[in-house]
Amino acid sequence: MIDVRNLTKSFGNLYALRGLNLTVSRGTCLTIFGPNGAGKSTFIRILATLSKPTQGEIRIEGKDIFADAEQYRNRLGVIAHATYLYDELTARENLVFYSKLYGIPDRDATVNRLLDEVGLGKRGNDRVRTFSRGMQQRLSIARAMLHNPDILLLDEPYTGLDQHASEMLTGWIMKLRNDKRTIILITHDLAQGLEVADEVAIFLRGRVAHSAAAGDFSNKEFQQLYFETVAGGRTN
Amino acid sequence: MTLVYKDLLSEFRSRETISSMLVFSMLVVAIFNFAFDPGSAYAQQAAPGILWVAFTFSGIIGLNRSFVHEVDKGCLHGLLLAPFEHGAIFFGKMLGNLIFISIVELLTLPLFAVFFNLQTLQGLPQLLVVILLTTLGFSAVGTLFSAISVNTKTREMMLPILFLPVVIPILLAAVNATAMIFDGKGWNDISDWLRLLAAFDLIFISLAYLTFGFVVEE
């Protein structure tokens, strides 16, 4: 279980997060929505240990994530709109590079399996700069899955993807969700976000303005709730 | 070593960093060669300074590029998410920078010797040790400041502004030791400068390693 308590992040006088509280059960997919500047990406960066909170804590199964950040990062996979891939390296070289960083023992077999799973088996020896945005994002999924993480952070992974690539990504997120991994997804696309979620949260001005089970809403109801919440600054 | 290999492979494919550094370094040597009468006393006096101007400013070009590839597609985050201490990233990048700058220096040196009519072979071992120790210090300080400046809007300007004042002690030591070597002096004569270079390297590698984690954290 991910337990976020009183999480605050400020940059000088500017507050990105203001005492945020949130709980994510193990094996569930939480989709976070919110307007720009709501603190979603700051939250994900702290959860990924890329940034330290000004105040508050995040505990996973009772342990502070910053207490043993290196061990925690071994359980963590991150897929963002930035792919974390090197253009001059081939798809295979990128995955081999990251698998070395994670100390994966059966490297070649793991890389080959993941390349096949994301449908890039035949393009493994091509440089990443020759790939379309959709292919790069698929390779990014393979990169994030190399060490078989049980917690996945997805920070606006749909950005820049065409319809087909978006549908493929949704299929992948559904597959990861069915594997009972804990997933936290940030997206601006209400329909896509709701489709894959077990739980939803709406962030507003650095706080959780609304949280509920995804099954409580139809698409239309959720859209209405989202726009009312964002327009009115309403919290539950 | 994984990071070093990745940097070398990327550079081997793109050839954008070393070629820029090499062209700049050779241009500096060639331009100064035209400014002085080759073999004259002035040229002999100015030679150590000219050599280190070429090495320093071509090095800055390489250091400026060092983290650009890492931030382009968020790759630095990819590195920071890996399950090891962030100081290891510093050592990997520093070693890569050391190799790139050393390659450029070793390629520039023969051209410099020809242009300035220097009998460098006699003091070559001493000169190589001075170059290695100085480049090590450059790489340590430069890698840290490159990580700082890469996220600023004026990174090309920011790096020299941060970097040059800090490396003044090793530049002074390198120029003086090089002048002595060109005058035919031996190991004993340059030992003080070598000690200064080694002490600088030790201090700044330790400091950069310890502070790198804070620099890359958002």
Side-chain angles (χ1 to χ4, degrees):
Chain A
M1 189 171 79
I2 301 173
D3 194 16
V4 181
R5 286 281 162 262
N6 192 31
L7 200 69
T8 302
K9 178 73 180 180
S10 65
F11 301 94
N13 292 327
L14 189 73
Y15 278 79
L17 296 174
R18 299 162 187 264
L20 187 135
N21 293 296
L22 189 70
T23 303
V24 187
S25 304
R26 191 174 187 160
T28 60
C29 177
L30 167 73
T31 304
I32 299 172
F33 301 96
N36 292 331
K40 307 182 299 292
S41 291
T42 304
F43 172 62
I44 285 282
R45 277 202 293 274
I46 294 172
L47 200 49
T49 70
L50 295 171
S51 180
K52 279 191 179 153
T54 311
Q55 222 184 319
E57 61 179 9
I58 301 175
R59 290 185 172 271
I60 293 183
E61 279 130 32
K63 286 182 193 165
D64 188 329
I65 59 167
F66 289 98
D68 191 354
E70 285 148 42
Q71 198 185 355
Y72 163 64
R73 287 198 290 265
N74 226 346
R75 297 178 55 186
L76 192 68
V78 178
I79 302 166
H81 50 277
T83 57
Y84 307 171
L85 298 170
Y86 295 94
D87 276 349
E88 292 302 328
L89 303 188
T90 66
R92 189 180 307 280
E93 285 165 348
N94 266 289
L95 295 189
V96 168
F97 169 69
Y98 279 106
S99 63
K100 283 180 182 171
L101 295 187
Y102 281 88
I104 291 159
D106 199 4
R107 219 162 17 234
D108 289 340
T110 307
V111 167
N112 287 335
R113 177 178 55 78
L114 282 166
L115 280 172
D116 286 337
E117 281 183 21
V118 296
L120 293 171
K122 289 179 181 166
R123 298 291 305 270
N125 294 324
D126 291 343
R127 288 191 208 181
V128 166
R129 69 181 159 94
T130 65
F131 285 10
S132 67
R133 166 83 184 131
M135 289 164 75
Q136 291 193 18
Q137 197 60 304
R138 272 148 62 196
L139 187 59
S140 177
I141 294 169
R143 172 196 55 71
M145 297 308 299
L146 276 167
H147 55 297
N148 198 22
D150 62 334
I151 300 167
L152 281 159
L153 308 180
L154 284 68
D155 186 5
E156 298 185 26
Y158 290 101
T159 308
L161 295 183
D162 60 27
Q163 185 71 27
H164 176 64
S166 290
E167 282 168 13
M168 281 193 76
L169 182 61
T170 300
W172 259 93
I173 296 171
M174 296 292 265
K175 184 175 177 289
L176 296 170
R177 195 185 78 159
N178 293 340
D179 289 347
K180 289 289 167 202
R181 296 174 204 266
T182 307
I183 300 173
I184 297 180
L185 165 69
I186 288 179
T187 180
H188 286 288
D189 190 314
L190 300 184
Q192 267 169 336
L194 194 63
E195 186 185 347
V196 297
D198 296 307
E199 293 167 21
V200 289
I202 301 170
F203 277 24
L204 196 64
R205 292 194 283 272
R207 290 192 182 97
V208 178
H210 199 100
S211 66
D216 293 351
F217 307 97
S218 68
N219 261 344
K220 202 174 171 185
E221 286 168 343
F222 186 69
Q223 274 189 16
Q224 195 178 350
L225 172 74
Y226 177 79
F227 290 117
E228 277 176 12
T229 306
V230 171
R234 198 179 85 178
T235 57
N236 65 344
Chain B
M1 288 315 287
T2 303
L3 192 52
V4 178
Y5 175 73
K6 185 273 295 171
D7 279 353
L8 290 174
L9 188 61
S10 291
E11 179 56 25
F12 175 74
R13 299 257 168 86
S14 69
R15 292 191 183 92
E16 58 184 30
T17 304
I18 287 190
S19 55
S20 313
M21 292 166 72
L22 193 60
V23 167
F24 181 87
S25 180
M26 289 190 167
L27 270 175
V28 169
V29 172
I31 288 167
F32 276 107
N33 176 57
F34 294 128
F36 293 102
D37 183 17
S40 70
Y42 287 132
Q44 297 299 315
Q45 275 182 339
I50 293 165
L51 183 68
W52 284 102
V53 165
F55 287 174
T56 305
F57 287 94
S58 64
I60 288 174
I61 292 174
L63 292 168
N64 249 329
R65 302 289 305 164
S66 175
F67 276 91
V68 170
H69 296 296
E70 303 298 348
V71 293
D72 265 355
K73 286 194 166 175
C75 295
L76 184 58
H77 283 172
L79 297 179
L80 295 172
L81 285 166
F84 51 73
E85 211 186 338
H86 292 158
I89 300 170
F90 165 75
F91 274 118
K93 296 303 289 182
M94 185 193 76
L95 206 54
N97 286 329
L98 178 69
I99 292 169
F100 291 152
I101 299 172
S102 299
I103 289 171
V104 172
E105 288 171 342
L106 291 176
L107 291 172
T108 306
L109 207 53
L111 183 81
F112 178 82
V114 170
F115 275 9
F116 284 84
N117 199 23
L118 291 167
Q119 305 294 320
T120 46
L121 270 181
Q122 197 186 351
L124 191 60
Q126 291 95 315
L127 185 59
L128 289 178
V129 171
V130 170
I131 289 173
L132 177 69
L133 287 174
T134 310
T135 309
L136 188 59
F138 269 16
S139 304
V141 177
T143 302
L144 181 70
F145 287 151
S146 175
I148 294 172
S149 65
V150 76
N151 286 317
T152 63
K153 282 180 186 168
T154 53
R155 62 185 171 211
E156 279 82 10
M157 279 196 297
M158 190 57 75
L159 178 62
I161 289 168
L162 293 170
F163 173 74
L164 288 171
V166 178
V167 296
I168 282 174
I170 49 169
L171 264 182
L172 284 174
V175 170
N176 281 302
T178 306
M180 287 176 155
I181 294 164
F182 288 171
D183 283 343
K185 303 271 174 65
W187 288 108
N188 281 342
D189 301 301
I190 62 165
S191 62
D192 285 347
W193 295 119
L194 292 181
R195 273 198 288 272
L196 177 67
L197 288 171
F200 182 98
D201 291 353
L202 200 64
I203 291 166
F204 275 88
I205 289 172
S206 309
L207 277 177
Y209 170 73
L210 291 171
T211 53
F212 187 78
F214 298 103
V215 166
V216 290
E217 186 190 297
E218 288 175 10

